[in-house]
Each structure stands twice: as C-alpha cells, then as structure tokens.
Amino acid sequence: MKKIIVPLLLIFISACTPSNEEGVAFQEQANEIFNTNVYIPQYDNLHITSAIIETGPFGKHKDLIIEYSKQLGDKKDKEFTVKYEKNTGSEVLYGFYDGEPSVFKLKFNDGKGNISPKQIKIINDVKVEYLKMEKRKTLIASFNVEDGNYTGEFNLKELSEEKAFKIIEQIIEETN
C-alpha cells in the first residue's frame, strides 16, 4: 500500500505545482543571447507575463524586457505573437499573457545606460539613477553591471516606491 501512496502523492504534488519549464527555457535563451548570466527574479506573488527580446537600431544592442503582473491571465494566441514579432522586429521568448495589473517591467540591456533628468541613490556601492514621474505614477530606475544594464519601470499604483527600491536592491545583490 505504501508503495502506491508515495508515487501517487508525488504525482499529486507535481500536478499542483505550477510548471516553470517555459520560464527555465527563456532564462537559458537569455543567457545564450547575451553571453552572460542574466538575473531574472522570481516572486511568489507576481507572475511573469512576457519576456521579449528587442533589438536596437542597426542591431547594435539587444534588450530583454520582462513584464511582471499580479495576475497571469489568459495566454494570447500564436497569431497575436507572430503578428507582434513581425510588427516590432522582436522575439517573444515567453508569454504573452493578459496579466493585469502590470506591476513592473524589468529590462536587461547589453550596453550601458543612463536616465535624464535623474536623481541618484547609492545601493550597495552601486550608483542607481532614477526618475519619478508623478503624473504617470511611475518610477524608472537604472544601474549598470559588468555585462550590461538593468532598468526597472515600476507602476507606483501597484507597488510602493520603497518596495521598488527593495527589488532593485535584490537585483544588485544577485548581480554583484
């Protein structure tokens, strides 16, 4: 009897655990595309609704843009994704889900970045440039790492400024 219960219990647990195979696959793709370990944070209370590679003018730089939302929502059909890729010249690595509300977008770029006009905050010896847009209730923060730049665009209707900077701090800790 125990021989039957244990395998059944393992099957039940794995069926109740959300699969992250697609997420693991796009992490590996991102690492290959940028030829570095790109840090992609995971949160229990937020869902990754898309991961997209955009290439800058003349193919000079690439951006990995990851969107985090409170709800995963329904996955858009393949036709939508193909049309999006064609119209934007981008590559969808994961998603598109109709996740609402959007909490923040995280961008990794293989170049160096800055924000203008900006304020500066030092977090764990890293210079973080940021801009708070009151009317849009948005905080944009950017910092450079050895192999590129991370930029977060935070929806301050869904996330406090303090929590936004905690996310930035976590990314800095993982990338330094």
Side-chain angles (χ1 to χ4, degrees):
M1 182 73 168
K2 284 184 182 180
K3 289 180 181 181
I4 294 172
I5 292 175
V6 172
L8 287 175
L9 184 60
L10 291 174
I11 291 169
F12 177 75
I13 290 170
S14 65
C16 293
T17 304
S19 171
N20 197 22
E21 288 178 27
E22 241 181 316
V24 169
F26 86 76
Q27 170 75 61
E28 291 169 1
Q29 283 180 283
N31 291 348
E32 285 180 28
I33 290 167
F34 292 102
N35 199 30
T36 189
N37 289 323
V38 179
Y39 177 65
I40 300 173
Q42 302 284 319
Y43 302 98
D44 291 336
N45 59 340
L46 296 176
H47 300 275
I48 294 176
T49 55
S50 64
I52 301 166
I53 296 288
E54 290 183 354
T55 304
F58 314 110
K60 188 173 180 179
H61 291 287
K62 294 181 191 273
D63 295 329
L64 169 64
I65 302 168
I66 304 165
E67 184 155 3
Y68 293 83
S69 298
K70 285 189 175 181
Q71 302 294 321
L72 188 58
D74 295 327
K75 188 172 184 179
K76 301 221 183 232
D77 61 26
K78 184 73 172 167
E79 184 179 311
F80 176 90
T81 301
V82 169
K83 188 175 179 179
Y84 179 87
E85 289 176 327
K86 182 180 176 188
N87 291 340
T88 62
S90 60
E91 178 184 0
V92 176
L93 301 181
Y94 175 79
F96 265 110
Y97 289 91
D98 289 324
E100 289 295 330
S102 176
V103 177
F104 75 98
K105 290 181 184 178
L106 181 64
K107 177 173 76 171
F108 176 80
N109 181 292
D110 60 353
K112 298 297 179 188
N114 60 21
I115 297 175
S116 291
K118 65 185 173 233
Q119 293 178 294
I120 295 174
K121 184 180 264 200
I122 304 298
I123 300 176
N124 294 341
D125 298 325
V126 174
K127 181 173 95 172
V128 177
E129 298 177 350
Y130 68 97
L131 170 65
K132 189 173 175 184
M133 300 183 309
E134 296 291 340
K135 287 185 181 179
R136 285 184 51 205
K137 301 271 190 235
T138 303
L139 174 75
I140 299 174
S142 178
F143 60 93
N144 294 319
V145 294
E146 185 176 326
D147 294 328
N149 170 273
Y150 284 91
T151 301
E153 184 175 324
F154 300 91
N155 177 352
L156 297 178
K157 293 178 211 164
E158 298 297 327
L159 191 70
S160 71
E161 187 174 332
E162 181 182 334
K163 286 184 181 177
F165 279 112
K166 285 284 186 197
I167 290 170
I168 294 164
E169 182 178 10
Q170 175 203 5
I171 295 168
I172 288 170
E173 287 173 0
E174 293 293 330
T175 57
N176 279 337

